[in-house]
Amino acid sequence: MKDDAKKPDLVVFNEETQKYDASIKPYGTSSSSPVIKPLNTASWKNDGIQRVNKQLKSKFDEVKKEYESLMEKFQYNDLIYNAKFSFEPIFGENYHLYNNKNGEPFLSIIEPSQCSFEYLGSFRLNTDKMWEKIES
């Protein structure tokens, strides 16, 4: 026969199993049990926050640097593809970008030492048709 009366709070009775299970609890269940005091976790949290912030900042800086590099590549590829040239560039060859007298960019095979126009940079065309800046 099932006892439907609610047990007092100090009695540890499991309603699901219908058993007294105070002895298998991972904590003290009587009023004479030691007090459970929460640990001071402030230093642990602060250390964790500092480590996470440092890691996230590092990752952010890495992504920002990659973004800036991609934007630079996009800008000079956009500039070259909008520049004037009357030849089909060959993959792997070096080309030089200049501004003409009207300030319009044009692509040439002439070396900067042999040209009097405003020199903007030297580039090489990859097989994926992306221009790569050549550092002098």
Side-chain angles (χ1 to χ4, degrees):
M1 182 164 136
K2 186 176 178 183
D3 185 14
D4 289 338
K6 172 103 171 85
K7 306 282 186 209
D9 285 343
L10 76 103
V11 175
V12 183
F13 184 75
N14 189 331
E15 297 287 333
E16 293 174 10
T17 62
Q18 295 293 311
K19 293 182 180 177
Y20 295 94
D21 59 2
S23 63
I24 61 171
K25 296 288 185 194
Y27 49 85
T29 58
S30 74
S31 58
S32 63
S33 298
V35 177
I36 299 174
K37 294 181 184 176
L39 299 173
N40 182 3
T41 58
S43 62
W44 180 86
K45 285 181 183 179
N46 289 338
D47 181 53
I49 289 169
Q50 287 176 354
R51 286 175 188 249
V52 167
N53 286 346
K54 185 176 181 181
Q55 186 176 6
L56 291 175
K57 184 182 181 329
S58 173
K59 185 66 175 176
F60 173 79
D61 291 344
E62 184 181 314
V63 169
K64 182 180 175 187
K65 186 176 180 181
E66 187 176 342
Y67 168 79
E68 289 169 352
S69 173
L70 286 172
M71 284 307 296
E72 182 183 5
K73 284 180 183 179
F74 169 78
Q75 289 170 347
Y76 63 68
N77 270 277
D78 186 51
L79 180 65
I80 294 170
Y81 275 113
N82 288 314
K84 293 181 180 179
F85 51 93
S86 56
F87 56 90
E88 186 175 326
I90 300 169
F91 299 122
E93 293 294 320
N94 294 348
Y95 296 93
H96 310 284
L97 190 65
Y98 302 98
N99 271 340
N100 64 15
K101 293 176 184 169
N102 298 331
E104 299 167 332
F106 70 94
L107 197 62
S108 174
I109 59 172
I110 300 171
E111 295 285 332
S113 60
Q114 301 171 348
C115 190
S116 62
F117 290 105
E118 179 189 356
Y119 174 69
L120 300 176
S122 296
F123 300 89
R124 179 180 299 123
L125 184 63
N126 286 341
T127 55
D128 59 358
K129 295 197 174 184
M130 186 176 290
W131 290 96
E132 234 179 44
K133 187 169 179 113
I134 301 170
E135 301 299 329
S136 336

